[in-house]
């Protein structure tokens, strides 16, 4: 929304009503909405001058009285802080020191109300952008180091987050502040065993805030205070939230440590026995290594490759091939798909000896500060943990898969692609939905980075893997869509076969996903790229899907056929329109479906047939059908109805008279939905351009214009399009709401007598 929709008079009325905002308001979002509206006014270049001329500081000070509702107080304080960031905000800051607002800030630094504490921190954070002598004095008056420590240990998550924002601002303004440095050291100094959950959260939130500043001096300080021995116990805390926050910090730490620091981290992990946590930490290392600023690129890649290979080894050791058949199946698939088998194939001996290969060959050949003994120790410990129970084995397999997935985000490995393909063919892996998703996402990302385009021939094979359910299937189709425009005919034909295989899946979500993919391909790519994909057999399958028991599948099938008619060549469009199972009664049944989204898709198909001028599309429509559609409770159905009415009026004068399409279109100009009215406006403009002027005083010409149609056309040409267009503007609708006695109505609850005349109803 533009700022022009907020008049100065309206804003002044809102501001003057703020101190008197009813304490009976129950809606917890009401005050946030008021604040959001007031903030819009600050975008004006003259906002501060207007506030000063209205004596707004006096009005805001009234909101800070002891008897004021704390929500009103918090709203006023946060708005004032935001005003400091507006143009000429320093003028307002100077004026604040001549009022009692500063004393209120000092007295309420430790307010018992969390809302006020958050507002106070927001006020100080925004004022830090001015950072003059008065701000420094205010900080000293509230004893900011001790105050920040209390806020970082606050019981409210929102207060802690606001305190971190203020801490970051203060470090940004004054990097070398001994008081702040002492505060951080005091926070971390307490022994870990004696720290409460709140203190652990504060320590980690502080470390994360300072690391995100990207200031070299600050990062040196953080790495000294939050050294690895300090961070390590947080990674193994019993509280999952603490562990997750510690992993976030670890990711930031890895960005700024050298290779020796990574070696020390891995060595420390090798001394732990919690396999899942160790693997999570290694995943964090692999994720950030490509972006590390202290390790040379080749060295970082070798480090990541070694850790990722360990993850692959763990996966294949936890889920080895049941017998040689799995390996042989994958080998056959890869070979038949044209993959370079000298690089990607996996044999039975590979599976049996892969752990030895990784620890001896791959690792020892990499000249990194991480020793193979560290890798061996981690693998041994994690393998033992995986043997404790099936649940432990499943969790460790998922964590190992995450390591490989992080590595695949930046690096292609044929070995990884083949290994993931092998795992997907393993019946034991197929029983674990989460592991299948992780392995599949790893394989898809690996294939995206493949330089050898023959590797993408795996994609049709993946689509035919029924163990990959709908969520994973969407990811496979996303990759297929990326490749479709640049791949050869063999790939497209393989994709067409895979589509026809999965379109009969017993799972309706999979059938729906297949139809959606083909629709996307037809609409997003040029027709020559998808001509071999949308064969007559695929069209046959889509037509059969129009009778599917699941309504989502029926809708997707109709959307696909509409896309083929609109964007396909003449031969394919004719094949759809003349299909023996897509008769007039079939279309009529689809248009009359009980589900609104099926009707939308059916009307899109009818419109596509009518626009292309093929098929018996008019025959499926009757006046009763159109009347019901024009009165449908779903506004998107009505939008499509208006589109078809306009098409009828333009293309078929005889049927226009019989179906009364022009009269219905005129009626729909008064629809309650502005989207429907917008479609009517667009249609009427086209009709005015494409129809001749009608002289109502002349004699009608029966062979050219029917009397009823002649009258309707005259009505169409005399519709006030300017007035219709004015009713569509969102700015216009918002301005109407602003004009309804905002100053008196803004602060009322919805249950008040004047419900509906509230500016906030616009949100």
């Amino acid at each position: 929304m533009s700022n022009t929709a907020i008049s100065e008079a309206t804003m002044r009325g809102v501001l003057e009503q703020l101190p008197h905002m009813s304490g009976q308001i129950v809606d917890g979002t009401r005050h946030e909405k008021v604040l959001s509206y007031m903030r819009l006014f600050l975008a004006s270049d003259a906002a501060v001058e207007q506030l000063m001329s209205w004596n707004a500081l006096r009005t805001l000070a009234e909101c800070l009285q002891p008897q004021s509702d704390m929500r009103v107080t918090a709203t006023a304080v946060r708005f004032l802080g935001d005003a400091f960031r507006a143009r000429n905000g320093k003028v307002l800051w100077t004026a604040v020191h001549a009022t009692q607002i500063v004393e209120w800030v000092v007295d309420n630094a430790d307010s018992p109300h969390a809302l006020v504490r958050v507002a106070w921190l927001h006020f100080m954070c925004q004022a830090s952008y001015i950072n003059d002598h008065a701000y420094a004095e205010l900080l000293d008056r509230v004893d900011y180091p001790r105050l920040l420590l209390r806020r970082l240990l606050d019981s409210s998550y929102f207060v802690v987050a606001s305190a971190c924002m203020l801490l970051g601002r203060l470090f940004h303004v004054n990097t070398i502040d001994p008081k702040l440095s002492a505060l951080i050291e005091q926070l971390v100094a307490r022994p870990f065993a004696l720290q409460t959950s709140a203190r652990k959260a504060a320590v980690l939130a502080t470390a994360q805030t300072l690391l995100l500043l990207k200031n070299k001096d600050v990062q040196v300080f953080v790495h000294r205070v939050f050294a690895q021995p300090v961070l390590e116990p947080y990674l193994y805390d019993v509280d999952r939230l603490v562990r997750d926050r510690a992993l976030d910090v670890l990711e930031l730490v890895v960005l700024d440590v050298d290779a020796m620091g990574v070696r020390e981290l891995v060595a420390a992990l090798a001394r732990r026995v919690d396999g899942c946590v160790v693997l999570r930490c290694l995943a964090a290392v692999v994720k950030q290594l490509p972006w590390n600023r202290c390790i040379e690129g080749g060295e970082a890649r070798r480090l990541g490759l070694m850790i990722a290979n360990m993850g692959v080894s763990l996966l294949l050791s936890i889920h080895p091939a049941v017998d040689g058949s799995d390996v042989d199946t994958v080998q056959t698939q890869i070979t038949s798909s044209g993959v370079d088998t000298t690089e990607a194939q996996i044999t039975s001996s590979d599976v049996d000896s892969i752990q030895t290969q990784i620890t001896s060959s791959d690792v020892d050949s990499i000249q990194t500060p991480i020793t193979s003994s560290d890798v061996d120790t981690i693998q041994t410990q994690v393998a033992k943990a995986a043997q404790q129970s099936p649940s432990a084995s499943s969790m460790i397999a998922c964590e190992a898969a995450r390591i490989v997935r992080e590595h695949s985000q930046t690096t292609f490995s044929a070995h990884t692609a083949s290994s993931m393909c092998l795992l997907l063919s393993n019946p034991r892996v197929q029983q674990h939905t989460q592991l299948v998703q992780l392995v599949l996402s790893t394989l898809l990302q690996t294939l995206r980075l493949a330089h050898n385009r023959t590797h993408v021939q795996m994609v049709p094979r993946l689509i035919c893997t029924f163990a990959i359910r709908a969520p994973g299937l969407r990811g496979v189709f996303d990759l297929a869509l990326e490749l479709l425009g640049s791949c050869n005919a063999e790939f497209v034909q393989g994709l067409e076969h895979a589509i026809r295989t999965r379109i009969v899946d017993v799972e309706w979500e999979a059938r729906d996903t297949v139809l959606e993919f083909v629709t996307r391909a037809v609409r997003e790519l040029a027709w020559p790229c998808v001509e071999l994909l949308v064969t007559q057999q695929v069209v046959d399958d889509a037509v059969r899907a129009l009778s599917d028991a699941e309504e989502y599948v029926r809708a997707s099938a109709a959307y696909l056929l509409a896309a083929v008619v609109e964007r396909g060549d003449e031969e394919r469009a004719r094949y759809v329109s003349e299909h023996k199972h897509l008769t007039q009664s079939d279309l009529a049944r689809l248009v009359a479906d009980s589900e609104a989204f099926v009707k939308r898709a059916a009307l899109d198909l009818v419109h596509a047939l009518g626009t292309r001028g093929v098929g018996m599309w008019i025959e499926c429509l009757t006046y009763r059908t159109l009347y019901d559609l024009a009165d449908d409770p779903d506004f998107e159905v009505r939008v499509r109805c208006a589109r078809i009415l306009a098409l009828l009026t333009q293309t078929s004068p005889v049927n226009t008279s019989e179906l009364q399409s022009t009269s219905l279109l005129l009626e729909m100009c008064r629809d309650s939905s502005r989207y429907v009215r917008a479609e009517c406006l667009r249609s009427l403009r086209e009709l005015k351009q494409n129809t001749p002027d009608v002289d109502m005083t002349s004699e009608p010409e029966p062979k050219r214009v029917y009397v009823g149609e002649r009258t309707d056309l005259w009505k169409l040409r005399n519709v006030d399009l300017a007035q219709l267009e004015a009713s569509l503007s969102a700015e216009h609708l918002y301005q109407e709401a602003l004009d309804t006695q905002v100053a008196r109505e803004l602060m009322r609850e919805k249950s008040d007598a004047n419900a509906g005349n509230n500016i906030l109803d616009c949100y």
Side-chain angles (χ1 to χ4, degrees):
M1 183 194 315
S2 68
N3 189 58
T4 56
I6 307 170
S7 69
E8 294 176 0
T10 301
M11 177 60 189
R12 185 172 185 177
V14 171
L15 189 61
E16 290 177 351
Q17 288 294 314
L18 185 60
H20 313 295
M21 198 169 181
S22 172
Q24 302 300 316
I25 292 179
V26 180
D27 182 2
T29 66
R30 180 63 58 88
H31 298 79
E32 288 296 321
K33 291 175 179 176
V34 171
L35 178 61
S36 296
Y37 173 73
M38 294 170 65
R39 282 172 169 166
L40 292 175
F41 181 74
L42 295 177
S44 170
D45 291 341
V48 170
E49 287 77 3
Q50 287 293 340
L51 292 174
M52 295 294 292
S53 66
W54 297 338
N55 199 8
L57 292 180
R58 176 188 58 77
T59 304
L60 293 173
E62 293 179 21
C63 301
L64 309 181
Q65 302 305 314
Q67 68 274 15
S68 298
D69 187 314
M70 289 302 104
R71 296 171 295 178
V72 173
T73 299
T75 300
V77 174
R78 290 165 67 190
F79 173 72
L80 184 56
D82 291 330
F84 296 149
R85 299 288 306 280
R87 184 176 181 180
N88 297 324
K90 192 169 184 178
V91 174
L92 192 64
W93 167 255
T94 303
V96 163
H97 288 79
T99 67
Q100 293 298 312
I101 294 178
V102 172
E103 296 304 318
W104 180 92
V105 171
V106 174
D107 294 340
N108 288 270
D110 284 308
S111 171
H113 303 282
L115 273 177
V116 177
R117 296 198 297 274
V118 170
W120 188 96
L121 292 165
H122 180 78
F123 176 93
M124 295 298 292
C125 187
Q126 299 295 77
S128 68
Y129 286 88
I130 297 177
N131 190 33
D132 59 2
H133 181 69
Y135 182 72
E137 286 186 350
L138 184 57
L139 286 175
D140 290 334
R141 290 185 63 184
V142 298
D143 192 8
Y144 69 97
R146 292 180 181 273
L147 179 67
L148 270 176
L149 181 59
R150 293 194 296 274
R151 294 293 80 82
L152 289 170
L153 299 174
D154 199 279
S155 59
S156 169
Y157 168 82
F158 299 101
V159 174
V160 174
S162 298
C164 287
M165 292 179 62
L166 177 57
L167 179 67
R169 278 298 307 159
L170 294 179
F171 259 101
H172 180 79
V173 170
N174 186 4
T175 303
I176 310 301
D177 187 336
K179 292 183 180 180
L180 288 177
S181 301
L183 159 69
I184 305 302
E185 292 174 349
Q186 180 184 355
L187 183 65
V188 181
R190 178 168 295 186
F192 180 81
L194 301 178
Q195 292 183 17
T196 63
S197 295
R199 195 177 192 92
K200 293 174 185 176
V203 169
L204 296 171
T206 301
Q208 188 174 17
T209 298
L210 298 183
L211 286 169
L212 288 172
L213 288 178
K214 306 299 182 184
N215 182 290
K216 184 176 180 180
D217 293 332
V218 173
Q219 289 179 342
V220 169
F221 169 75
V222 173
H223 285 295
R224 177 176 63 81
V225 176
F226 296 95
Q228 180 183 307
V230 176
L231 180 60
E232 188 174 342
Y234 296 93
L235 294 167
Y236 300 93
D237 193 79
V238 294
D239 188 341
R240 178 62 184 268
L241 294 177
V242 173
R243 296 200 304 270
D244 288 346
R245 179 65 69 87
L247 283 173
D248 292 338
V249 175
L250 178 64
E251 289 184 7
L252 295 173
V253 169
V254 172
L255 285 173
D256 295 292
V257 297
D258 55 16
M260 186 56 64
V262 176
R263 183 256 179 272
E264 293 173 354
L265 174 61
V266 175
L269 294 174
R271 296 191 293 268
R272 307 298 301 198
V273 295
D274 190 332
C276 285
V277 175
V278 169
L279 295 180
R280 288 191 195 110
C281 294
L282 289 177
V285 172
V286 172
K287 178 180 179 180
Q288 297 296 351
L289 272 175
W291 321 112
N292 185 286
R293 294 178 286 269
C294 302
I295 303 178
E296 187 269 330
E299 181 73 4
R301 286 192 294 272
R302 288 192 291 271
L303 288 169
L305 177 62
M306 182 181 59
I307 299 174
N309 281 342
M310 184 190 67
V312 173
S313 172
L314 286 170
L315 279 169
L316 293 176
S317 64
I318 295 172
H319 293 291
V322 178
D323 52 36
S325 60
D326 281 342
V327 179
D328 295 339
T329 300
V330 176
Q331 179 66 52
T332 302
Q333 290 177 354
I334 296 174
T335 304
S336 63
S337 299
V339 179
D340 183 3
T341 56
T342 60
E343 182 182 10
Q345 67 183 12
I346 296 180
T347 64
S348 300
S349 60
D350 289 332
V351 177
D352 296 335
S353 62
I354 191 167
Q355 185 166 347
T356 303
Q357 291 175 356
I358 290 175
T359 55
S360 60
S361 176
D362 291 345
V363 173
D364 290 343
S365 65
I366 299 173
Q367 302 300 316
T368 70
I370 300 180
T371 64
S372 58
S373 61
D374 292 330
V375 178
D376 292 340
T377 302
I378 291 176
Q379 285 186 265
T380 302
Q381 291 177 349
V382 173
K384 288 181 179 179
Q387 296 172 1
Q388 294 177 0
S389 66
S391 61
S393 174
S394 178
M395 292 175 61
I396 287 175
C398 288
E399 298 302 337
R402 288 189 176 94
I403 291 177
V404 187
R405 184 183 63 180
E406 294 296 346
H407 182 256
S408 69
Q409 298 297 313
T410 56
T411 306
F412 170 76
S413 168
H415 168 67
T416 298
S418 302
S419 301
M420 297 303 105
C421 220
L422 174 63
L423 286 165
L424 285 174
S425 67
N426 191 323
R428 292 177 56 190
V429 174
Q430 294 172 3
Q431 296 174 5
H432 301 283
T433 304
Q434 184 180 14
L435 183 57
V436 169
Q437 285 292 95
L438 288 167
V439 171
L440 179 61
S441 63
T442 301
L443 177 57
L444 294 179
Q445 185 57 33
T446 301
L447 294 178
R448 280 190 173 89
L449 300 177
H451 297 297
N452 184 351
R453 303 303 291 181
T454 58
H455 285 91
V456 303
Q457 300 295 339
M458 292 182 184
V459 173
R461 303 279 182 176
L462 291 175
I463 296 173
C464 291
T465 304
F466 280 83
I468 301 175
R469 310 315 294 169
L473 200 57
R474 293 188 188 96
V476 181
F477 280 134
D478 286 341
L479 176 59
L481 191 63
E482 295 174 18
L483 301 171
L484 196 54
S486 58
C487 285
N488 54 29
E490 181 185 357
F491 174 81
V492 180
Q493 291 169 352
L495 199 58
E496 187 266 350
H497 172 74
I499 286 171
R500 297 199 60 211
T501 301
R502 289 307 294 269
I503 207 170
V504 295
D505 197 298
V506 295
E507 184 189 46
W508 73 262
E509 291 97 331
R511 301 196 301 272
D512 184 57
T513 302
V514 171
L515 292 166
E516 287 178 344
F517 161 70
V518 183
T519 304
R520 286 180 58 197
V522 172
R523 292 203 175 277
E524 296 179 16
L525 300 176
W527 179 251
C529 296
V530 296
E531 186 174 6
L532 293 177
L533 182 68
V534 188
T535 60
Q536 292 185 357
Q537 291 79 11
V538 170
V539 172
D540 293 340
D541 292 336
V543 172
R544 279 192 291 270
L546 292 175
S547 302
D548 198 280
E550 176 56 48
E551 56 267 21
Y552 289 104
V553 178
R554 297 199 299 273
S556 295
Y559 281 129
L560 169 56
L561 294 173
V564 173
V565 171
E566 288 178 7
R567 296 180 58 83
D569 56 21
E570 190 67 24
E571 178 186 356
R572 200 71 82 245
R574 287 284 179 188
Y575 185 78
V576 172
S577 64
E578 297 172 2
H579 200 283
K580 62 182 179 180
H581 295 302
L582 192 61
T583 62
Q584 169 188 339
S585 59
D586 293 321
L587 281 175
R589 172 180 50 80
L590 205 62
V591 169
D593 198 280
S594 59
E595 296 293 343
F597 49 84
V598 178
K599 283 191 278 191
R600 296 175 206 160
L603 291 172
D604 280 352
L605 176 56
V606 171
H607 186 269
L609 291 169
T611 304
R612 195 72 183 257
V614 294
M616 307 296 288
W617 65 280
I618 296 179
E619 284 73 6
C620 73
L621 302 173
T622 64
Y623 173 75
R624 170 51 60 183
T625 301
L626 292 172
Y627 183 86
D628 291 341
L629 291 172
D631 197 40
D632 194 276
D634 185 83
F635 80 90
E636 292 193 48
V637 170
R638 302 199 303 275
V639 167
R640 287 163 172 79
C641 178
R643 195 174 300 153
I644 287 179
L645 291 172
L647 183 63
L648 281 168
T649 303
Q650 285 182 314
T651 60
S652 182
V654 176
N655 288 282
T656 295
S657 179
E658 294 177 357
L659 299 175
Q660 301 182 37
S661 57
T662 308
S663 298
L664 285 173
L665 184 60
L666 287 169
E667 288 296 321
M668 294 189 76
C669 291
R670 294 192 288 271
D671 194 276
S672 59
S673 169
R674 69 185 180 94
Y675 296 102
V676 177
R677 299 197 303 273
E679 181 60 32
C680 291
L681 176 64
R682 185 194 65 78
S683 301
L684 290 176
R685 281 178 171 161
E686 288 186 5
L687 287 171
K688 277 198 170 186
Q689 292 176 355
N690 299 329
T691 56
D693 291 333
V694 180
D695 184 3
M696 294 301 296
T697 63
S698 64
E699 290 295 326
E701 301 179 33
K703 293 185 179 181
R704 294 183 58 191
V705 181
Y706 294 88
V707 175
E709 183 203 356
R710 184 167 174 265
T711 303
D712 289 337
L713 289 176
W714 182 84
K715 290 179 181 178
L716 284 177
R717 295 196 61 85
N718 284 275
V719 172
D720 189 344
L721 298 186
Q723 183 179 358
L724 181 58
E725 183 176 14
S727 70
L728 306 178
S729 168
E731 292 285 342
H732 172 81
L733 297 177
Y734 196 87
Q735 189 64 52
E736 283 183 345
L738 295 180
D739 292 338
T740 57
Q741 300 179 353
V742 172
R744 293 197 295 273
E745 305 301 336
L746 174 59
M747 309 307 172
R748 294 182 181 274
E749 185 60 281
K750 268 195 168 183
S751 59
D752 288 352
N754 290 312
N757 293 331
N758 197 306
I759 181 182
L760 299 177
D761 292 338
C762 299
Y763 283 82

